[in-house]
Amino acid sequence: MLTEKTVKELALALGEKLTNAGLVATTAESCTGGGVAYAITEISGSSLWFDRSFVTYSNGAKTQMLDVDPELINTFGAVSKEVVNAMAIGAVKNSDADIAVAISGIAGPEGGSEEKPVGTVCIAWYNAHSGHKTESYLFVGNRSEVRTQAIRLALLGLIENADALGSAQI
C-alpha cells in the first residue's frame, strides 16, 4: 500500500507515473520549506519530470512568486484551503509544469490558535488539465513529524493526480 512507503519510495513512484504519463510537476511550499522538492530531486533523472519549486514561506513571497491575491490571505489566512489552491494554480501558471502541489501549515511548536492549532496543514493539488483537490489536515507530532507527514501526503496526492491524468490521456 502506498501509504506505508517511505518518502523516497513515493518520490520514485511519482517519477515513474509522471514519466509514463508525459507530465511535469512543480511544488509550492511554505511549512515544508522545500521538503517535497528535496525528496523529488533526490531521484536521479528527476529533471525530466520536475520543473521547479517555489518556497514561499512568507505571505509576500506567496503574492510575488505565485500571484496569490493578498486579499485571500487577509480574509482566510495563509493556512487555508483558499490560499493553497491559489498557490497551486500560481505554481503551474509560473512554471512549465502540468501539475502542482501546494502546502501551507503550522508545524509548531508555536504559531497555532484555537481555530488553527499546531499541526494544521492545508494541501492543494492542481493540474492544468482537469482542476484541483484541496484538503485540510490536523497532524500530530513535533515540527519534524508534522512536516514529514505533509510531505508524504503531498507526494501521495501527486501520484494520484498523475495516475488520473495518465489514464485520461490513454
Side-chain angles (χ1 to χ4, degrees):
M1 178 180 219
L2 279 178
T3 56
E4 299 303 317
K5 292 193 175 194
T6 67
V7 167
K8 184 169 186 174
E9 289 169 324
L10 290 172
L12 280 165
L14 174 62
E16 185 178 316
K17 298 285 185 189
L18 291 172
T19 300
N20 290 341
L23 299 169
V24 175
T26 185
T27 64
E29 302 181 63
S30 186
C31 71
T32 50
V36 177
Y38 179 84
I40 288 170
T41 58
E42 278 287 289
I43 307 306
S44 179
S46 58
S47 63
L48 298 173
W49 46 270
F50 182 67
D51 180 52
R52 69 189 76 181
S53 176
F54 299 89
V55 178
T56 56
Y57 205 68
S58 71
N59 292 341
K62 289 172 182 62
T63 61
Q64 292 167 8
M65 297 170 70
L66 300 172
D67 305 319
V68 175
D69 185 342
E71 201 52 43
L72 276 180
I73 296 170
N74 291 337
T75 302
F76 301 103
V79 181
S80 65
K81 288 182 175 183
E82 293 81 5
V83 169
V84 292
N85 189 55
M87 288 169 63
I89 291 168
V92 168
K93 178 182 164 193
N94 291 293
S95 71
D96 294 324
D98 304 287
I99 67 174
V101 64
I103 306 167
S104 187
I106 306 163
E110 293 99 23
S113 67
E114 192 172 312
E115 183 181 299
K116 295 178 185 177
V118 169
T120 301
V121 177
C122 296
I123 305 176
W125 298 269
Y126 173 79
N127 71 66
H129 308 286
S130 64
H132 63 89
K133 174 184 173 183
T134 309
E135 298 290 338
S136 189
Y137 302 92
L138 181 57
F139 297 123
V140 176
N142 63 34
R143 183 175 180 83
S144 178
E145 291 165 336
V146 167
R147 289 165 45 110
T148 299
Q149 291 170 78
I151 291 165
R152 289 183 74 252
L153 274 179
L155 290 167
L156 281 167
L158 282 171
I159 291 167
E160 290 173 11
N161 203 316
D163 261 345
L165 285 174
S167 299
Q169 291 180 354
I170 293 175

